[in-house]
Amino acid sequence: MDLELTDEQGAVRQLAKDFVDREVAPHAAAWDRAEQVDRAIVPKLGALGFLGLTIPARYGGSDGDHLSYALVTEELGRGDSAVRGILSVSLGLCAKSVAAWGSEAQKREWLPRLCAGEAVGCFGLTEPGTGSDAASLTTRAVRDGASYVIDGTKTFITNGTWADVVLLFARTGPEPGHRGISAFLVPTDTPGLGRSEIHGKLGLRGQATAELTFDGVRVPASALVGEEGQGFKVAMSALAKGRMSVAAGCVGIAQACLDAAVAYAGEREQFGGKTIAHHQLVQELLADIAVDVAAARLLTWQVADHIERGLPFATQSSVAKLYASEAAVRCANNALQVFGGYGYVDAYPVGKLLRDARVMTLYEGTSQIQKLLIGRELTGVAAF
Ligand code: FAD
């Protein structure tokens, strides 16, 4: 793996850094308190080409490689995970799936708008009764002439109330498990589709997380993404790449923890007018964060490298996501310890970093599910 960034990757990273320092980080605490990110951020992400990374230019994308995508995602995660998640889902799970599996008409209809930030996408897999065991989902799509009629409920859907389109997974066949599942692109203004925001989240409070209900929602057969029965494959391939995006966001959280903790340790004085940076046990906390940042970043870059070189990457993506998400929680905890009591109040950033980090070990496959995916690769035995 080449650890040198190309000039182009360096430029994209700098662009993202400057954007985050100017347009994201200064507002993160206020958006968190208001429980709403300013939606104007979405077209700004689009104008810079961030929402089109890895999508071909002929569909309105900005091309770019997966390391550039990871670098931008890391920077957004450093500024505000709520904003990072908007991109990881609208681009990473929705637009990239349309680019990989969609029909020509679907690509032409949705990709230019999603890449420009004129439209937002979401990913509807989880249901109230099916989380980790997504293959047992119960939302149904029944063929009726030239259309499908969809009934069911999806929950915890990131961007849910903001989205213009949902990449929806529903059961079309009688087969149990993953074989009877199909993917659909459903515009959120389709009659029968209801949306309600989920409030009271521990973190990612600025992000619109929603429950979606489908009550006789009728879509044309052309809304199918891929072929009937291929939906689980569509979902799993989206998540395999999506986990790299979560991992990159976690590197951003960990880097923000390091920046904040080092700065505070250099200012706060305790015991004889010395800054707390002089105390060895404080340095241990800082060193532990620094090691986690470096390890998580390298694992994330390795996934990008595998994708670019056409090598298998799904297990590497699970390794990176598992390590980086657990590391982000550890780093935020360590950073909070450096801040002492001040870490516990929201005048300082580390409390929010810890709250935002916690969900990373839960979504796109919990830490336990990542371990089972890695274990399956090692042993050939699926222990789900
Ligand atoms: P469960 O599956 O019920 O798991 C509960 C516990 O049991 C966990 O600790 C889990 O690891 C453990 N467990 C389950 N099965 C096993 C097993 N076989 N072996 C060992 N342990 C096991 N979903 C979407 O589709 N789209 C989204 O955009 C989206 N965004 C989200 C945003 C937020 C803020 C949150 C909180 C969730 C989001 N999700 C989304 C859902 C998320 O992916 C699920 O919450 C996650 O997959 C876990 O499912 P669950 O919550 O039902 O937990």
Side-chain angles (χ1 to χ4, degrees):
M1 182 168 80
D2 188 356
L3 295 176
E4 288 276 305
L5 297 185
T6 63
D7 288 349
E8 205 172 318
Q9 289 162 342
V12 170
R13 183 192 224 180
Q14 193 57 48
L15 188 67
K17 259 188 203 303
D18 294 344
F19 175 75
V20 165
D21 288 340
R22 198 180 58 245
E23 304 267 0
V24 179
H27 307 291
W31 289 339
D32 185 63
R33 265 184 231 118
E35 295 198 11
Q36 186 154 33
V37 165
D38 180 358
R39 202 180 163 142
I41 203 77
V42 178
K44 288 181 186 174
L45 291 170
L48 289 171
F50 295 161
L51 285 167
L53 280 167
T54 77
I55 305 288
R58 67 181 180 283
Y59 298 119
S62 37
D63 288 319
D65 58 80
H66 281 81
L67 184 52
S68 298
Y69 173 42
L71 294 168
V72 168
T73 312
E74 177 188 328
E75 287 305 319
L76 291 173
R78 182 176 64 79
D80 187 356
S81 291
V83 175
R84 193 278 302 163
I86 295 168
L87 173 131
S88 289
V89 173
S90 191
L91 164 62
L93 296 181
C94 185
K96 279 162 77 71
S97 297
V98 175
W101 297 87
S103 65
E104 191 57 27
Q106 288 168 338
K107 290 179 195 176
R108 292 202 177 283
E109 180 177 3
W110 288 108
L111 290 180
R113 294 175 58 204
L114 290 169
C115 293
E118 287 162 11
V120 171
C122 68
F123 183 82
L125 181 64
T126 303
E127 300 180 351
T130 57
S132 299
D133 184 14
S136 64
L137 61 81
T138 60
T139 294
R140 274 217 158 265
V142 176
R143 183 84 190 224
D144 179 27
S147 10
Y148 286 88
V149 179
I150 305 170
D151 288 281
T153 303
K154 297 286 172 181
T155 196
F156 289 135
I157 306 306
T158 301
N159 295 343
T161 46
W162 280 20
D164 300 279
V165 65
V166 51
L167 179 62
L168 176 78
F169 300 92
R171 195 163 288 288
T172 43
E175 304 92 341
H178 60 87
R179 279 185 299 278
I181 294 173
S182 301
F184 297 89
L185 269 182
V186 185
T188 51
D189 59 2
T190 310
L193 198 164
R195 304 193 268 182
S196 54
E197 190 154 339
I198 298 169
H199 291 287
K201 296 197 299 282
L202 180 66
L204 300 185
R205 289 185 181 160
Q207 205 171 76
T209 310
E211 178 166 287
L212 307 186
T213 52
F214 297 80
D215 183 9
V217 171
R218 187 174 285 274
V219 291
S222 60
L224 258 179
V225 179
E227 288 168 20
E228 198 179 286
Q230 263 191 335
F232 199 67
K233 234 174 155 176
V234 175
M236 292 304 112
S237 72
L239 291 173
K241 283 190 182 159
R243 286 173 187 138
M244 183 196 81
S245 185
V246 175
C250 290
V251 177
I253 292 177
Q255 182 66 57
C257 291
L258 184 63
D259 295 345
V262 168
Y264 189 77
E267 290 164 7
R268 175 75 173 167
E269 292 180 0
Q270 288 297 296
F271 291 99
K274 285 187 294 190
T275 65
I276 58 172
H278 286 79
H279 303 305
Q280 291 181 347
L281 295 180
V282 172
Q283 288 199 9
E284 183 188 42
L285 290 167
L286 299 177
D288 285 347
I289 300 173
V291 171
D292 265 338
V293 171
R297 183 175 288 130
L298 283 175
L299 287 171
T300 305
W301 286 20
Q302 186 193 34
V303 184
D305 181 63
H306 277 222
I307 297 174
E308 286 303 317
R309 288 201 282 144
L311 299 173
F313 64 86
T315 303
Q316 274 71 22
S317 206
S318 285
V319 169
K321 195 266 184 186
L322 172 63
Y323 187 86
S325 61
E326 299 278 340
V329 176
R330 262 195 314 273
C331 291
N333 242 324
N334 283 336
L336 200 147
Q337 201 66 22
V338 171
F339 273 76
Y342 293 97
Y344 205 67
V345 293
D346 75 355
Y348 291 89
V350 286
K352 174 179 181 299
L353 289 167
L354 179 59
R355 289 188 287 103
D356 287 349
R358 193 61 187 81
V359 77
M360 309 297 164
T361 70
L362 301 174
Y363 64 18
E364 298 207 23
T366 64
S367 289
Q368 286 74 24
I369 294 301
Q370 304 310 325
K371 288 178 186 175
L372 293 175
L373 291 168
I374 297 163
R376 182 180 64 182
E377 177 71 15
L378 292 171
T379 63
V381 178
F384 301 98

